[in-house]
Amino acid sequence: MELRKKSQISYPISDEEIIELYWLRDENAIKETDKKYRKYLFNIAYNIVSDRDDCEECLNDTYMGAWNSMPTARPAVLQAFLSAIMRRSAIDCFKKKTRLKRGTSEFTQSFSELEEFIANDADMAEEIENKDLSKTINDYVRSLSERQMYIFMSRYYFSRPIKDIVKYLGCSTSTVKKEIAKIKEGLKIKLESEEYEL
Amino acid sequence: MKKDKLTDAISSIDQDIVENFVLLDAKLQKKAALRKSKMIKILSSAACLVLVLSISMSLAFDKENPITPNNNKPSTGGGSVPPASYHFESEDDLLLFLDLIRKDPSELKEYDLLEVYKDSPPPYFDISWVNPGELFEFPIEPHGMWIGVTEIPYAKEKFENIGYFTAKDSTSIEKFSHRFYRDYSGTETISYSVITIDGIAYCFDLRKTDEKQSGIKSFISYIRQGGKFYMKSELCGSEIKFYKMKNPNTHIYLEGFTYFEDYTVSMRIFVYNKEDIDKINLEQFVWRDYYEE
């Protein structure tokens, strides 16, 4: 490691300043976004597409998405805003990829966990279409404790590996697995109460 | 098809939930990094401590070579001297750590090391350790020896933020440690910076810095001005008192500088003995990013 002088350190600028750059149509906005959030966004993509080249592509799509959205958007939490774009982009990329050949990733793994208790019959899909599943899931996530919400979002929204959740929560794998089981059970009850046929 | 529906439903989770998650995630990731950092430091310091203790014990038996701050050899640089880093602020801390290792090493991985320090009364504020009220004047000398660098990760919780310096070269300093406290009580921030060199603590009091709760913009610098050194908070511009050093043979020069990555502050410390002035080797100085993996 080499000595770094104070003048050589580049400080990440604040989110407000980055957003301002987008609004000013200054291309440094993308540079600064990349400097500050590249690693974070890359991880989101990697958990979904499991391919570094695809992640790079998703990163570019995300930056382009942010560039096209601001203005008019002025996100309250830039990181969340970028995460949502990245997730969408990564899922699109994953779907495109799986149309060509079957691929597996943490994304498929996490969803297969939920599929376990989703209806076995083909009519389920149709039924889900007719009901507001999104609202049910939103309500359910809101009803969770902060810790459970964190686990749910980590695992099923961002498709994070369990080992990462364990690392960030500072607890054991078995604890997280137990929590996941509880969350799944809770979701099952919620869906049943909303009269989804399970 | 049903997977797609489920994916779509989860994808359309409300933005405010995503925002809450991201904020919580950032907090938890920092805590995880802090746990990891503490672990690495403590493990490395345990090894160093054992080494230094064994050297000290062997020297203690040699009456012709008593250990004093002034008869230590000046730095030769090049990293041949094992680094000394003391991260245990009390014997109890060390014993607790060793006890944990003995009992179950795997348990240690999950042990939040911050807890070791969280509730321990800070002995550094014992009045006998400092001479309050005297503005300290450092002699202005243009050079010296870098001996340490640290990262000071801190949380908003009371007295939970603790930073340590790792001495890169220990030839002129027997013991070196640093603690940094912030107490977010109401709107007032109280910060203490305590440096221990050769067993003598130097306490720098940064009280009443008026900092807002956000904490992110705290900027504390140690500056040199008109033949005097001051500690200064850039945010409020208030001048901070330096307390007089008890050991007149060791001169310390502090050049703080903060590094805003949310709650991470980094600071440099510059320490020298007069004998070491011509032995500067900046290569010894190692900057370590707190978040560097």
Side-chain angles (χ1 to χ4, degrees), chain A residues 37-187:
Chain A
Y37 293 117
R38 180 186 180 81
K39 195 175 162 189
Y40 188 84
L41 296 171
F42 193 95
N43 281 342
I44 292 174
Y46 193 81
N47 288 336
I48 296 170
V49 298
S50 291
D51 181 284
R52 300 188 75 82
D53 290 339
D54 287 343
C55 288
E56 289 293 341
E57 201 180 302
C58 294
L59 264 177
N60 290 334
D61 289 347
T62 303
Y63 297 151
M64 190 49 72
W67 181 259
N68 291 334
S69 313
M70 292 183 284
T72 53
R74 194 176 276 280
V77 181
L78 181 63
Q79 196 174 346
F81 181 77
L82 296 168
S83 302
I85 300 177
M86 172 52 100
R87 185 179 178 276
R88 269 198 305 273
S89 164
I91 288 174
D92 288 347
C93 175
F94 181 78
K95 282 178 178 172
K96 209 186 298 172
K97 197 174 154 189
T98 46
R99 269 199 293 273
L100 300 173
K101 57 171 186 175
R102 286 300 293 174
T104 55
S105 73
E106 205 59 44
F107 179 66
T108 46
Q109 176 61 38
S110 64
F111 273 93
S112 67
E113 287 170 18
L114 288 181
E115 276 185 310
E116 286 167 13
F117 62 89
I118 296 285
N120 293 319
D121 61 279
D123 294 338
M124 175 65 181
E126 190 59 35
E127 189 180 345
I128 287 173
E129 264 183 339
N130 296 333
K131 297 195 182 211
D132 196 351
L133 181 59
S134 305
K135 187 182 176 301
T136 307
I137 288 182
N138 264 303
D139 290 346
Y140 177 64
V141 175
R142 284 186 197 284
S143 72
L144 296 174
S145 67
E146 188 179 64
R147 183 185 170 89
Q148 286 180 325
M149 178 277 284
Y150 182 79
I151 293 173
F152 181 92
M153 293 294 285
S154 295
R155 187 67 184 146
Y156 302 119
Y157 187 86
F158 286 109
S159 304
R160 264 191 193 153
I162 290 177
K163 68 174 171 53
D164 284 1
I165 305 173
V166 165
K167 185 168 82 181
Y168 300 143
L169 284 175
C171 61
S172 68
T173 305
S174 62
T175 307
V176 170
K177 282 185 174 168
K178 272 182 212 160
E179 293 269 17
I180 286 175
K182 254 192 237 172
I183 291 166
K184 279 164 61 179
E185 186 56 31
L187 182 57

Side-chain angles (χ1 to χ4, degrees), chain B:
Chain B
M1 178 65 179
K2 66 185 174 185
K3 185 188 275 185
D4 281 351
K5 289 293 162 195
L6 199 57
T7 311
D8 291 347
I10 290 180
S11 293
S12 58
I13 278 179
D14 292 345
Q15 188 63 13
D16 66 304
I17 296 177
V18 180
E19 285 172 5
N20 283 340
F21 168 81
V22 165
L23 296 174
L24 179 62
D25 188 40
K27 214 187 286 179
L28 290 173
Q29 288 202 25
K30 280 193 177 66
K31 271 193 171 178
L34 186 60
R35 279 195 298 271
K36 187 178 156 191
S37 167
K38 291 275 179 201
M39 180 62 67
I40 291 165
K41 286 177 181 180
I42 284 188
L43 288 173
S44 63
S45 65
C48 290
L49 189 59
V50 170
L51 181 65
V52 174
L53 281 175
S54 47
I55 293 168
S56 302
M57 282 175 72
S58 65
L59 287 176
F61 285 107
D62 185 353
K63 304 271 184 198
E64 304 216 334
N65 293 299
I67 304 168
T68 63
N70 293 322
N71 74 345
N72 289 320
K73 289 177 187 170
S75 164
T76 52
S80 58
V81 181
S85 42
Y86 289 81
H87 301 136
F88 300 103
E89 297 300 318
S90 72
E91 195 182 357
D92 285 346
D93 284 354
L94 176 61
L95 291 176
L96 178 60
F97 170 73
L98 294 174
D99 196 38
L100 274 166
I101 291 185
R102 268 198 301 271
K103 275 182 189 162
D104 182 4
S106 64
E107 192 180 295
L108 192 63
K109 286 178 194 163
E110 289 182 17
Y111 185 73
D112 187 351
L113 289 156
L114 270 181
E115 295 299 321
V116 174
Y117 310 101
K118 195 175 175 183
D119 298 318
S120 59
Y124 319 95
F125 307 125
D126 185 325
I127 197 72
S128 66
W129 286 51
V130 294
N131 293 318
E134 291 184 51
L135 192 68
F136 178 70
E137 283 183 40
F138 283 88
I140 300 287
E141 300 203 34
H143 40 229
M145 176 180 70
W146 286 106
I147 69 133
V149 66
T150 192
E151 312 81 32
I152 308 175
Y154 60 93
K156 284 185 180 180
E157 290 81 7
K158 194 175 182 181
F159 291 126
E160 216 185 53
N161 36 25
I162 299 160
Y164 295 99
F165 287 94
T166 302
K168 178 66 180 166
D169 184 304
S170 63
T171 50
S172 62
I173 284 147
E174 191 186 342
K175 283 188 178 183
F176 187 89
S177 67
H178 177 267
R179 273 193 171 201
F180 184 80
Y181 294 95
R182 319 205 107 212
D183 174 10
Y184 289 85
S185 49
T187 55
E188 184 183 73
T189 300
I190 301 172
S191 304
Y192 307 92
S193 182
V194 180
I195 293 163
T196 311
I197 299 173
D198 294 337
I200 298 170
Y202 308 103
C203 176
F204 307 97
D205 184 345
L206 289 76
R207 282 170 205 245
K208 295 174 185 172
T209 53
D210 251 1
E211 193 180 339
K212 287 181 182 169
Q213 280 286 334
S214 75
I216 295 171
K217 295 285 182 190
S218 69
F219 194 108
I220 296 147
S221 56
Y222 300 85
I223 58 164
R224 188 161 64 177
Q225 202 173 62
K228 292 178 182 178
F229 281 91
Y230 300 92
M231 189 180 287
K232 206 173 181 183
S233 160
E234 294 289 313
L235 195 69
C236 66
S238 61
E239 195 175 276
I240 312 294
K241 279 177 183 170
F242 265 76
Y243 292 118
K244 191 177 179 181
M245 291 163 59
K246 277 196 167 181
N247 181 352
N249 297 314
T250 306
H251 299 266
I252 63 174
Y253 163 75
L254 299 160
E255 181 187 321
F257 97 78
T258 50
Y259 178 34
F260 308 136
E261 188 146 306
D262 291 338
Y263 305 117
T264 303
V265 181
S266 295
M267 194 180 291
R268 290 174 174 182
I269 275 215
F270 193 58
V271 180
Y272 61 87
N273 278 341
K274 282 183 177 170
E275 296 86 348
D276 293 329
I277 282 171
D278 297 325
K279 305 287 182 188
I280 313 161
N281 180 359
L282 286 181
E283 292 303 312
Q284 294 173 52
F285 178 68
V286 178
W287 176 265
R288 291 184 303 147
D289 277 339
Y290 176 55
Y291 288 109
E292 197 167 78
E293 290 187 354

